[in-house]
Amino acid sequence: MDAVALSRRAAAEFVGTALLVAVVVGSGIMAARLSPGDVGLRLLENSTTTAFGLAVIILMVGPVSGAHLNPVVSVADWWLGRRAGTGLTARDLAVYVPAQVAGAIAGSVLANLMFDLAAVDWSGTDRATSRLWLGEVVATAGLVLLIFALARSGRAAVAPAAVGGYIGAAYWFTSSTSFANPAVTVGRAFTDTFAGIAPGSVPGFVGAQLVGLVVGLGALAMLYPRAGVGVEQVVVPQLSEGR
């Protein structure tokens, strides 16, 4: 996974995750302002924007870093590829995850500033309940299974649309509205808006997402025993250095 310099890949993960959180938070703010009396419509506006935005961001930065944009995806990529010598190395993982978390925070700050809010405004939205944690387990496990099933079956080219579509749908079929991403969860604590999550709720969500990672990897082992073979295609194939 060293075809493109690690510094470039880390920059792509930072920028991509920042844009993703800016899309999630910014569309949530806009939805709240345009549809103040209708929570369902606000969720529809937020989820639709996120689904399309995520697909576009994957297309934008995917050729550089693979567009993981999510520590869960990066950890799974490293875990599945470690024996076959494919996917992320431990050094790559140690760079990807901080870049994703920093990008998520930057994206939340950017969205706040674009809508004339305080750069950092800790969320007061409490999401610390067991039903929401279960929703995060389901959302994260499904995301892991989808991404690595596409890579293993040679269908990584459709990942932007498939991942965007899955996240858009999971907004509606999970009780948690599908954060499914520890970095995004941390970033969303920095905004007291429609998409926010109280800092005290972050550990529970991240813990549930890690459980979802394990469940997703277990499902992969059952359905795709050699899933590690295709991890260099996650989320999408990358360019070679110099291009």
Side-chain angles (χ1 to χ4, degrees), residues 8 15 43 63 65 82 90 100 139 159 164 169 190 201 222 226 236:
R8 284 178 60 198
V15 170
L43 185 62
S65 68
R82 73 195 191 286
Q100 292 158 354
F190 285 72
S201 298
M222 179 175 62
R226 299 182 64 232
V236 294

Side-chain angles (χ1 to χ4, degrees), residues 26-143:
S27 64
I29 296 171
M30 182 65 82
R33 292 183 179 182
L34 293 177
S35 309
D38 192 331
V39 176
L41 182 56
R42 293 203 298 267
L43 185 62
L44 177 62
E45 292 161 346
N46 189 208
S47 62
T48 302
T49 304
T50 299
F52 283 110
L54 177 55
V56 170
I57 293 165
I58 292 172
L59 290 171
M60 187 186 304
V61 304
V64 180
S65 68
H68 291 189
L69 315 178
N70 186 337
V72 161
V73 175
S74 296
V75 170
D77 186 90
W78 164 75
W79 177 261
L80 291 170
R82 73 195 191 286
R83 292 180 180 174
T86 58
L88 295 182
T89 65
R91 175 171 173 261
D92 294 335
L93 182 64
V95 173
Y96 266 50
V97 172
Q100 292 158 354
V101 174
I105 295 170
S108 193
V109 170
L110 175 61
N112 285 338
L113 292 174
M114 284 195 294
F115 287 90
D116 199 27
L117 302 174
V120 174
D121 189 10
W122 300 111
S123 175
T125 304
D126 181 33
R127 301 180 190 262
T129 64
S130 58
R131 66 180 181 84
L132 300 184
W133 298 336
L134 178 59
E136 281 301 286
V137 172
V138 172
T140 307
L143 180 63

